[in-house]
Amino acid sequence: QYSENNGQTWLQAINTTSNNSYLQNYNLDQSRWYRVNVISNEGCGTVTTAPIEIFVFDNFIPGQIISDQDICIGDTPTDLVLSNPSYGGNPSTTDTYQWQYNNNGIWQDASLNANLSNYNPGPIGQSSEYRLQIENDCFSDSVNTNSVEIIVNPLPASIDILGPENVCLNASDVLYTLSHYDSTFTNMNYLWYVSPMGQNTFIGVNY
């Protein structure tokens, strides 16, 4: 027999046999109590066992990690963190973690200090996505969080200033340009410096 209301009412379990074992071959969707009525074939009465409780845990939902970042090549990003905890599964066990990174469309396990709820890949030289793989005892397969992207931006390239080195006094139409530059100003800004004659200081101007 089984009960879904803490033993207040009992129902006959399906697929029962006269054997001393019971195969529960259907999916449980909530916690239940079970008990067995032991009935004498000689008409000597019935004995009921003490009930046992089968706990059915909620589906395991992985948490969320943060966050997308933009860094310069060779810099160290801030830690990637499991910001929202996972939900469901077996609450009496400890989840296991494995951080992964996307290598040209293939997710691979990170190796260094990659088994905690936070992770730092250290200085990196190329953009990549990261995610956290979480395993709970209730499930045979690991589940994945959302992914975040760390974008690695290049350092400014070495460039030259193009323009005349000798000009007439009070000339106001002298133009200086860069040998190459980001015309959209999306990735780079440029700060020109001018040094007054005879001084070793530079005054910066944004253009």
Side-chain angles (χ1 to χ4, degrees):
Q1 293 180 314
Y2 70 91
S3 172
E4 294 179 341
N5 55 9
N6 297 327
Q8 296 180 32
T9 57
W10 292 90
L11 302 173
Q12 190 69 25
I14 63 174
N15 301 325
T16 57
T17 69
S18 59
N19 298 325
N20 61 354
S21 63
Y22 170 57
L23 176 63
Q24 182 252 300
N25 58 353
Y26 53 91
N27 293 330
L28 283 176
D29 55 8
Q30 65 183 93
S31 297
R32 282 183 175 181
W33 286 17
Y34 286 90
R35 71 181 184 183
V36 177
N37 290 327
V38 182
I39 304 170
S40 169
N41 291 330
E42 306 299 331
C44 296
T46 299
V47 175
T48 301
T49 66
I52 62 170
E53 185 173 5
I54 306 299
F55 293 96
V56 177
F57 302 119
D58 292 325
N59 285 331
F60 183 69
I61 307 298
Q64 298 284 310
I65 63 172
I66 58 173
S67 60
D68 292 339
Q69 300 178 46
D70 278 81
I71 64 172
C72 296
I73 188 169
D75 284 351
T76 299
T78 59
D79 286 354
L80 304 176
V81 178
L82 182 65
S83 60
N84 294 330
S86 304
Y87 171 80
N90 188 344
S92 64
T93 61
T94 301
D95 297 336
T96 57
Y97 301 112
Q98 176 61 60
W99 286 90
Q100 296 182 318
Y101 64 96
N102 192 332
N103 184 13
N104 295 320
I106 299 175
W107 288 98
Q108 296 183 337
D109 290 348
S111 56
L112 185 62
N113 299 322
N115 302 114
L116 303 173
S117 60
N118 62 294
Y119 173 64
N120 194 302
I124 54 178
Q126 62 182 20
S127 301
S128 186
E129 290 181 289
Y130 295 85
R131 72 182 183 187
L132 179 59
Q133 193 175 76
I134 307 176
E135 184 175 347
N136 183 274
D137 280 353
C138 261
F139 295 85
S140 58
D141 295 326
S142 299
V143 291
N144 302 313
T145 66
N146 61 304
S147 62
V148 297
E149 185 176 15
I150 299 179
I151 297 176
V152 179
N153 297 298
L155 299 176
S158 177
I159 57 178
D160 297 318
I161 297 176
L162 305 178
E165 297 183 8
N166 300 294
V167 298
C168 296
L169 183 65
N170 295 325
S172 60
D173 58 350
V174 180
L175 177 65
Y176 294 93
T177 60
L178 301 178
S179 56
H180 55 274
Y181 63 95
D182 176 13
S183 60
T184 66
F185 297 98
T186 301
N187 297 316
M188 302 291 177
N189 286 318
Y190 301 92
L191 184 64
W192 288 84
Y193 287 85
V194 177
S195 176
M197 183 65 67
Q199 298 185 22
N200 293 323
T201 58
F202 286 90
I203 302 172
V205 180
N206 257 323
Y207 289 102

